[in-house]
């Protein structure tokens, strides 16, 4: 029998008879518990643990390494690492160049900005970032948002200089927001965008970006400024006579080529570099095609002249004048948060996979500094896009040096190779964007959500529909609101259920989960599955009343003994506030009036503290608070039977006799 | 030994050896569980329970009684009840008349509106309301808010007609909001204003109203339109030469009289009617004083002419034209919600006290209809103020007929007695307001909050400071935001703690609460005290890692056996979403890498469902999921010892031998 190594006899005697006193936790000074709460809220991963018990010089070194992580891995850098990082860096550079130019055009910015943004920000990240796999670059969603939000205020065609300066200013404010969140350890805010939300939002944004590319693919001149599905389709199908078949055919061919290479690389992961090289190949092929056929004279739009040379400084171009500054701030905040959420998620995923640890808040500071520095060197918003980091990872990167290699490759391009892009048709850029966006539509994740948690699926769909049929901002607001509503609804409507006795044991579990669990005559046992807060106190009070009503109805119709005891299992009640304590007092009054006795089982530490301070324990009586449901049932049963046998017996504590 | 009536031997054998299989709850069709969730959210008190199993004619009667509760108690009305209600009605009428006039002046509306608002709305409430003790009337806080919010848009002195019509429109929209919340069963929204919030907000509003009365008491002509403390004090003390000693002395005398009667009634509850009659007495005395001394010719401001006659219709005066309509809507929404919160709280408190049940959502419909009808009959916002309902209760009301009696008394006043108020000095109204407001500052409640739950105290103080130093709207926003933040923070930073074995038992509890609980060598047991959601999944993952780190540090320094098993007690995890399941999968990967085995104990019904659907159970292995922590520890201990004795032994399930 003995799988345990303690006295079975002792266990039996103890389980059935001894009444354990439920302790009020030893009181802690207010500031000590405040300090503990603050630490849990802001420093959950205790990043300063390594500083303990170290000499001051070592502390200084550790401090410098904390702020600039490259000081930690740089001394241990080997040639092996460099080989791997070189290959990875060149691979992601081949992706960075065409994607950078494409996304800059998506943002209605000069294409050269895409190259600038793949030069300075990766260098900053390599110094300050903690992730070994994150590859820095611009993202389509943020580019689209920049175009749509700034475009409302300033038309990029009529006033390109102001538009450009506003983009830099928005990037600056985005960086300031990101760094502040990191410094103030408010990183947990990003956690409030649930995975379901992000799946839906990203899929919606990707759909919207693909729809926007119809302009480039079909070679249309006039296009709706709105991003939603209905406006775009109307704009496309009312101009069928304007469609240029040349652009259309060219675009579809390149798109087909890109999708085929992507599919092939997915099936044979060893050949990941094929899909990574495909965009650059398309650019080269497209340029050649246009150059040889002089297609740019037949109306095929091309990139045109790209300035040679490195990033010009732009710190002086930042706009701090109303009303434009407010638009820039708003754009910067929204794009900054979205970019941050993606960058942190990417960093965490790869760290989890490769089993190293990154500090989310420190990463935020790195990404923030990257954007602040970028805004002063003619870059716009960058982060760590998932697709590029995945390529980096597949290519076998070892440290952030892959970002440095990519930056060097981009530098060489900026200094010498920009004339090569003169003849690149815009339709190739559109195809590159569409191919990248189709990868963002994660329908596998959506199906998984439907299977596991339908509410999460609703959240996902809500975000998707909001973005596709409204606008990106509306979709984001809907996504965040639905996420928060879910949290609030959970707190406002916690689950309660009746417990029953698992046969032949002293274990009491949910009768829905264990249909063979028996109820005890004369006793109803309820479990409350959430903290009791102002938000749910009224609901719980009414629900408890209703449970009692329903149980008494059942007993009346079946003719059994009526209820005499109600046991509340508080094991899952993590915390209670003053409204919750009022609720318990009201429940006691109600049950007293109905002739029931209220019994409390298994209150936790926090709950006992509050019950003690509010004198509820004296109100209900210490003898009615039990350590486990089993002990509570035992005590109630004893009283029930002693009343049956001896109604006049005194209601003294039965355990004095044990 | 036997306090229980089951086989001790069986219990021992079962507790120590048998492995209970943790069941996945039987699957429910999606729509059945959706229906259940919707019912819990919107109909927690199951108001239609009484309709079950009734013939159709009875159902019709019950339906009519549900919508118009007076059809239920009217047939059983007796003369005894009428006697009690008559006394109560006259008592609250004596309060309603002076308070109504005072609060209308507070709202910058014609004083007669205060009397109108105590005539029609109580009649509507008597027909549709469920509370037997609620007394209908205007409230100071809503009057102040009306003045401050409408006053920003329209100056009541320059444009009194438009201001009046806007007040009616705001009342109309408030009523529409209230009735809609009730019809849509969204009443739980009001629950989100916690008691702590309301205490702080009401105290702040009361302070602000008292400060505003300094204008009337000191007889100042020019006064700041702002409501915050600094502006008011500056306005008062820069005009010390303008103070009128006559008003000041008169006001202080009446205030002293009112406060003394209030204190006396509190000490001798039998004489409650003394403090109830005091305001009307002050009005009469003040009018006499002014009439006899002709003080109105010496600069003492008086009410002046009050129109005779009942409420004129005002449905045609409602303003549905921008931009004024937007202001009216905004004012209506905010005042409507505050008034609703107070009315529902009052209704609930007295129902709890007198042990009858009221349906919160039905009450909201009644209050909403009352305000809609009021807006069409020259009334402004009314609800059930606590002070007046308390007087009603103390005066021994039996049903809502007390409201009808009050309305009749007000009708008589409107038809015949309005000339009596011609000479009432405004300073008496200010004293009445100040005396009423001092009752709203509930410092006992604030001290109780400090003692029991310091966070609630911070919420209370935050609301108070926001109202007194900012404005009423700012204070309300701060109060709601802090309340919601508390809910979100609780979800984002749930408590986790280490469990230990209570000596001589199979009970495992928090080592902080039970310092004598022992840890088990080689095993760490963690309890997570909240549902695992996207909002806290990352935090929990890092916290679990940190618990393992801290425990291993402790073991290293004390030289004991290192950890081999980590048991997660999921008894308090009410629910889990897809982010939570990802978190568990990541924890499993991390613990696998560290050479620990992850064991799950006591997962609830919802959690098991989701773990099953996401294949986590197959991932972790059914044998690693246990019904109780005790069984999990037993299983781990068995393996630990069998490994010690026989390292080569096969890892088969030990319970096949039992």
């Amino acid at each position: 029998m003995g799988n345990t190594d303690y006295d079975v006899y002792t266990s039996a005697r103890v389980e059935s008879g001894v009444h354990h006193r439920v302790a009020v936790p030893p009181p802690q000074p207010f500031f000590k518990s405040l300090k503990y709460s603050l630490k849990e809220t802001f420093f959950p991963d205790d990043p300063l643990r390594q500083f303990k018990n170290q000499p001051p010089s070592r502390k200084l070194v550790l401090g410098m390494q904390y702020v600039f992580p490259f000081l930690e891995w740089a001394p241990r850098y080997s040639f092996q690492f460099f080989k791997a990082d070189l290959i990875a860096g060149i691979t992601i550079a081949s992706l960075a160049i065409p994607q950078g130019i494409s996304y800059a055009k998506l943002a209605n910015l000069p294409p050269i900005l895409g190259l600038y943004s793949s030069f300075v920000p990766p260098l900053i990240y390599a110094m300050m970032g903690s992730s070994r796999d994150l590859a820095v670059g611009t993202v389509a969603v943020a580019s689209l948002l920049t175009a749509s939000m700034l475009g409302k205020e300033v038309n990029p065609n009529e006033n390109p200089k102001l538009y450009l300066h506003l983009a830099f200013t928005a990037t600056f404010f985005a960086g300031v927001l990101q760094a502040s969140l990191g410094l103030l350890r408010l990183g947990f805010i990003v956690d409030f965008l649930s995975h379901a939300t992000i799946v839906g939002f990203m899929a919606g944004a990707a759909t919207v970006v693909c729809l926007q590319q119809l302009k480039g693919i079909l070679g249309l001149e006039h296009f709706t400024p709105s991003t939603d599905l209905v406006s775009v389709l109307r704009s496309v199908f009312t101009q069928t006579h304007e469609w240029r078949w040349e652009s259309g055919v060219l675009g579809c061919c390149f798109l087909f080529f890109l999708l085929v290479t992507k599919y092939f690389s997915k099936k044979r992961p060893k050949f990941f570099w094929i899909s990574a090289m495909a965009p650059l190949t398309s650019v080269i092929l497209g340029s050649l095609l246009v150059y040889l056929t002089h297609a740019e004279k037949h109306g095929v739009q091309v990139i045109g002249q790209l300035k040679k040379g490195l990033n010009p400084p732009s710190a002086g171009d930042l706009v701090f004048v109303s009303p434009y500054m407010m638009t820039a701030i708003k754009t910067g905040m929204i794009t900054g948060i979205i970019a941050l959420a993606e960058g942190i998620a990417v960093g965490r995923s790869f760290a989890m996979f490769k089993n190293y640890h990154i500090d989310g808040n420190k990463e935020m500071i790195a990404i923030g500094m990257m954007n602040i520095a970028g805004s002063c060197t003619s870059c716009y918003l960058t982060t760590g896009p998932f697709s590029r980091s995945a390529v980096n990872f597949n290519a076998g990167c070892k440290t952030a040096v892959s970002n440095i290699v990519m930056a060097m490759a981009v530098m060489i391009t900026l200094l010498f190779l920009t004339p090569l892009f003169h003849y690149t048709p815009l339709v190739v850029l559109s195809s590159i964007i569409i191919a990248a966006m189709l990868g963002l539509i994660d329908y596998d994740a959506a199906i998984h959500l439907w299977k596991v948690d339908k509410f999460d699926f609703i959240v996902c769909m809500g975000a998707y529909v909001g973005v596709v049929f409204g606008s990106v901002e509306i979709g984001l607001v809907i996504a965040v609101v639905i996420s928060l509503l879910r949290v609030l609804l959970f707190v406002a409507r916690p689950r309660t259920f009746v417990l029953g006795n698992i046969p032949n044991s002293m274990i009491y579990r949910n009768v829905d989960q264990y249909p063979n669990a028996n109820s005890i005559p004369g006793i109803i046992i309820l479990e409350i599955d959430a903290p009791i807060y102002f938000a749910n106190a009224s609901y719980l009070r009414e629900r408890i009343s209703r449970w009692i009503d329903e149980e008494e109805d059942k007993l009346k119709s079946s003719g059994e003994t009526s209820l005499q005891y109600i046991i509340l299992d508080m094991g899952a009640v993590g915390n209670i506030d003053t409204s919750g304590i009022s609720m318990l007092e009201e429940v006691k009054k109600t049950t007293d009036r109905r002739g029931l006795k209220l019994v409390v089982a298994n209150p936790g530490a926090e709950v006992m503290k509050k019950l003690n301070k509010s004198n509820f324990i004296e109100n209900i009586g210490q003898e009615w608070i039990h350590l486990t449901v089993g002990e509570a049932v035992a005590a109630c049963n004893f009283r029930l039977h002693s009343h049956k046998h001896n109604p006049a017996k005194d209601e003294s504590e039965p355990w004095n006799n044990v």
Side-chain angles (χ1 to χ4, degrees), chain A residues 425-447:
Chain A
L426 293 185
V427 79
V428 170
L429 301 186
S430 295
S431 314
I432 291 174
I433 292 177
I434 294 182
M437 290 300 100
L438 290 178
L440 278 188
I441 302 180
D442 195 351
Y443 48 83
D444 277 332
I447 293 173

Side-chain angles (χ1 to χ4, degrees), chain A residues 465-482:
Chain A
V465 165
V467 173
V468 170
F469 290 93
S471 75
V472 180
E473 298 100 82
I474 289 178
L476 184 65
V477 165
I478 289 180
V480 170
V481 165
I482 297 184

Side-chain angles (χ1 to χ4, degrees), chain A residues 60 104 109 127 158 165 168 204 211 219 227 247 254 337 481 498 524 554:
Chain A
L60 183 68
L109 292 167
M127 281 200 306
E158 294 164 15
H165 296 170
F168 294 151
L211 290 173
T227 55
S247 317
F254 279 113
I337 284 278
V481 165
V498 175
I524 177 172
K554 250 197 285 177

Side-chain angles (χ1 to χ4, degrees), chain A residues 448-464:
Chain A
H448 178 79
L449 288 175
W450 169 258
K451 275 205 215 137
V452 177
D453 190 334
K454 294 191 171 34
F455 200 105
D456 266 353
F457 181 77
I458 292 172
V459 169
C460 179
M461 282 296 112
Y464 182 80

Side-chain angles (χ1 to χ4, degrees), chain A residues 205-223:
Chain A
T207 310
V208 162
V209 170
C210 287
L211 290 173
Q212 292 282 302
Q213 300 320 301
L214 287 175
K215 177 183 182 206
I217 299 256
L218 299 173
L220 295 170
E221 281 288 327
H222 304 285
F223 209 70

Side-chain angles (χ1 to χ4, degrees), chain A residues 522-526 528 540-549 552 562-568 582-600 616 619-620 624:
Chain A
I523 303 174
I524 177 172
I525 312 168
L526 293 178
I528 299 170
L540 282 172
R541 190 186 52 237
E542 297 196 7
R543 194 70 186 85
I544 291 175
S545 280
R546 207 175 112 215
W547 275 120
I548 300 175
D549 290 337
E552 289 196 330
S562 66
L563 289 179
Q564 303 206 25
Y565 295 95
I566 164 168
I567 301 175
L568 285 183
S582 304
M583 187 281 273
L584 285 179
E585 286 165 356
E586 287 158 10
V587 167
K588 174 149 196 345
K589 280 193 209 146
T590 314
T591 50
D592 280 348
R593 265 197 223 107
R594 297 177 80 144
L596 291 166
K597 206 94 191 95
L598 179 68
V599 184
V600 169
F616 182 77
N619 184 359
I620 194 179
W624 295 108

Side-chain angles (χ1 to χ4, degrees), chain A residues 559-582:
Chain A
E560 294 171 34
T561 35
S562 66
L563 289 179
Q564 303 206 25
Y565 295 95
I566 164 168
I567 301 175
L568 285 183
D569 181 358
M570 309 265 279
V573 178
N575 208 334
I576 194 169
D577 72 349
T578 47
S579 303
I581 293 172
S582 304

